[in-house]
Amino acid sequence: MPETYDVIIIGAGVQGASLAFHMAQHGVKATVLEKQFVGAGATGRSSGLVRMHYDTEVDARLAWESFQYFCNWKEMVGGDCGFTRTGFIQIVNPALQDMLKANVTMHQRIGIPTLVITAEDVKRLAPAFSVTDFEFAAYEPESGYAMPSDTTNALLEAARRGGARLLQGCLVTGIVAKNGKITGVETTLGDYYAPIVVNAAGAWAGQINRMVGLDLPYDTWRHDTMFVRRPAEIGPSHPTVIDFPKEMYFRPEGRLTLVGLEDGNPLGESPDSDTDHAKNGFVERAIERICQRIPYMEKGGLHSAHGGYDGITPDQHPLLGTVGPEGFYLDCGHSGTGFKTAPAVGCCMAELILDGASKTVDISALAPGRFSEGRYVKGNYHNIWK
Ligand SMILES: Cc1cc2nc3c(=O)[nH]c(=O)nc-3n(C[C@H](O)[C@H](O)[C@H](O)COP(=O)(O)OP(=O)(O)OC[C@H]3O[C@@H](n4cnc5c(N)ncnc54)[C@H](O)[C@@H]3O)c2cc1C
């Protein structure tokens, strides 16, 4: 007889782990099915930025709720998420500075510690930065980065203490529905029954959606990052930065600096492509940009570079909610920014699944049916990824 579970979550990335954790908080024992190992997808490659600066309220609220977890991890989850406070700076082109100010006002209304600072202030915070191409930035003194694999493992450990189950090396090959209701999944380890199945399969989530006949707009998004060794002239560290003028972000990690680019992230590739190496040309472009912002980086050296795949949607916002057969839920399409929001997304998804609506943050704007209804989530910047 196939085993029967209350809830099956497909994917042991940070999203599946967070949902399993929050389900356990409600006394529901979820089973997480993972085709490879914990953090094998985008999560294991994530840059781990933890900041609240967003141009939509739903994102900022999800990031802010999640921030409470990152800052109080031991008490709220247990184990360690590796949160490191570096301060966060959002740099924008002069054309976007009114939008930046409006966003900071929105963040302050939510309660997020943030303020608008000038380019001279940025120079005081980070003396090695060149600040000639912008006038204003947003500053979040409490923000920084965390360790995605540690975060995910800690969430899963806590979930398992609460009765959750994790099956690794378990590829979901089919989803079974009868009379419009989910009844379970087929996997390489056998069939499992459950009335609720959650698709948290990241870049592979489009494949899972098709297993229930859903053809939602959904793509894969490739993103490369590199670590460079910082020369001593830059000092012991620097803030975490999203840098719109240079279409780049970067953050410190010990004596290294991690760099990612906002442009040149290909869509539509197989998520099973090589991620151990960055694409040709990425390192050269990234080095040029980081040297423009931090000229001393010319004395730095390349440490390593690799890539990863996430799921992306047309408005670069996740699909959160139910669609298709009764009992089928989506927690996917995190579009390159779903690490920092995972603690709150899992909380909201658990509320939605168990109570019919999320109350911690209203995530109804992110419902999977929005595209067929012509609704797109739009902020006052542009889509971050090009
Ligand atoms: C290089 C890179 C840098 C990033 N940097 C940041 C950042 O700084 N800050 C931020 O907030 N976000 C960042 N992101 C985005 C963030 O990492 C992702 O949004 C997040 O990790 C997505 O988590 P997930 O659980 O949805 O997906 P994943 O981590 O991809 O997990 C999905 C899991 O599902 C499994 N799976 C797939 N299909 C099946 C199947 N059929 N059966 C069983 N299991 C299956 C996969 O093996 C995988 O482990 C970055 C992403 C990348 C790629």
Side-chain angles (χ1 to χ4, degrees), residues 10-16 33-50 54 170-173 200-205 207-208 211 221 223-225 249 306-310 331-341:
I10 305 172
V14 70
Q15 292 293 339
L33 306 181
E34 166 57 50
K35 70 184 171 84
Q36 285 186 277
F37 51 86
V38 173
T43 298
R45 295 299 196 188
S46 184
S47 305
L49 267 66
V50 172
Y54 272 103
C170 178
L171 173 74
V172 174
T173 53
W204 296 264
Q207 299 171 11
I208 304 287
M211 289 177 190
W221 168 86
H223 186 58
D224 290 337
T225 55
Y249 67 84
H306 56 222
Y309 287 94
D310 200 357
D331 178 351
C332 58
H334 288 278
S335 303
T337 72
F339 170 69
K340 72 187 72 61
T341 50

Side-chain angles (χ1 to χ4, degrees), residues 22-307:
H22 286 285
M23 283 289 185
Q25 298 282 95
H26 288 269
V28 176
K29 297 169 184 170
T31 297
V32 183
L33 306 181
E34 166 57 50
K35 70 184 171 84
Q36 285 186 277
F37 51 86
V38 173
T43 298
R45 295 299 196 188
S46 184
S47 305
L49 267 66
V50 172
R51 44 98 187 181
M52 279 71 75
H53 192 95
Y54 272 103
D55 62 351
T56 68
E57 189 157 338
V58 64
D59 290 316
R61 285 190 182 279
L62 286 170
W64 177 231
E65 287 298 330
S66 297
F67 187 71
Q68 314 311 316
Y69 288 83
F70 287 114
C71 287
N72 303 289
W73 196 263
K74 263 195 174 52
E75 301 75 37
M76 294 181 81
V77 180
D80 196 4
C81 68
F83 178 69
T84 303
R85 175 178 173 256
T86 61
F88 167 78
I89 298 174
Q90 170 75 59
I91 299 174
V92 297
N93 309 304
L96 289 177
Q97 65 197 30
D98 288 346
M99 284 86 158
L100 174 106
K101 289 176 184 172
N103 290 334
V104 169
T105 302
M106 178 260 285
H107 301 152
Q108 289 171 338
R109 180 165 49 74
I110 292 172
I112 295 167
T114 181
L115 67 160
V116 175
I117 60 175
T118 63
E120 292 71 42
D121 296 326
V122 171
K123 190 82 184 165
R124 276 180 217 112
L125 288 165
F129 287 13
S130 164
V131 298
T132 53
D133 57 341
F134 68 95
E135 293 169 28
F136 293 99
Y139 180 49
E140 295 176 4
E142 304 300 327
S143 299
Y145 67 91
M147 290 294 153
S149 293
D150 293 352
T151 301
T152 307
N153 278 303
L155 286 164
L156 274 171
E157 272 306 304
R160 290 166 81 180
R161 285 195 296 276
R165 237 183 128 199
L166 167 68
L167 292 181
Q168 301 184 80
C170 178
L171 173 74
V172 174
T173 53
I175 297 180
V176 187
K178 278 195 190 115
N179 303 324
K181 290 185 181 172
I182 289 290
T183 57
V185 298
E186 297 163 345
T187 83
T188 47
L189 298 186
D191 296 348
Y192 300 106
Y193 290 142
I196 293 171
V197 170
V198 183
N199 178 0
W204 296 264
Q207 299 171 11
I208 304 287
N209 289 339
R210 284 191 288 279
M211 289 177 190
V212 293
L214 283 172
D215 187 21
L216 300 175
Y218 199 87
D219 225 330
T220 62
W221 168 86
R222 160 112 192 178
H223 186 58
D224 290 337
T225 55
M226 72 170 181
F227 282 99
V228 287
R229 290 188 195 86
R230 269 196 317 276
E233 286 87 341
I234 295 173
S237 194
H238 57 73
T240 294
V241 177
I242 295 182
D243 187 337
F244 281 174
K246 305 289 181 233
E247 297 188 317
M248 167 181 70
Y249 67 84
F250 55 95
R251 68 158 174 87
E253 186 166 322
R255 298 295 310 175
L256 304 177
T257 292
L258 184 158
V259 186
L261 299 181
E262 290 170 5
D263 61 338
N265 299 285
L267 301 182
E269 295 185 356
S270 164
D272 298 309
S273 308
D274 171 34
T275 53
D276 290 339
H277 307 90
K279 296 256 185 190
N280 284 343
F282 164 75
V283 164
E284 291 78 358
R285 290 190 303 124
I287 286 177
E288 192 180 337
R289 305 248 188 114
I290 193 71
C291 290
Q292 286 169 3
R293 181 59 70 210
I294 314 180
Y296 281 128
M297 278 293 190
E298 289 189 2
K299 296 185 181 176
L302 179 66
H303 174 275
S304 54
H306 56 222

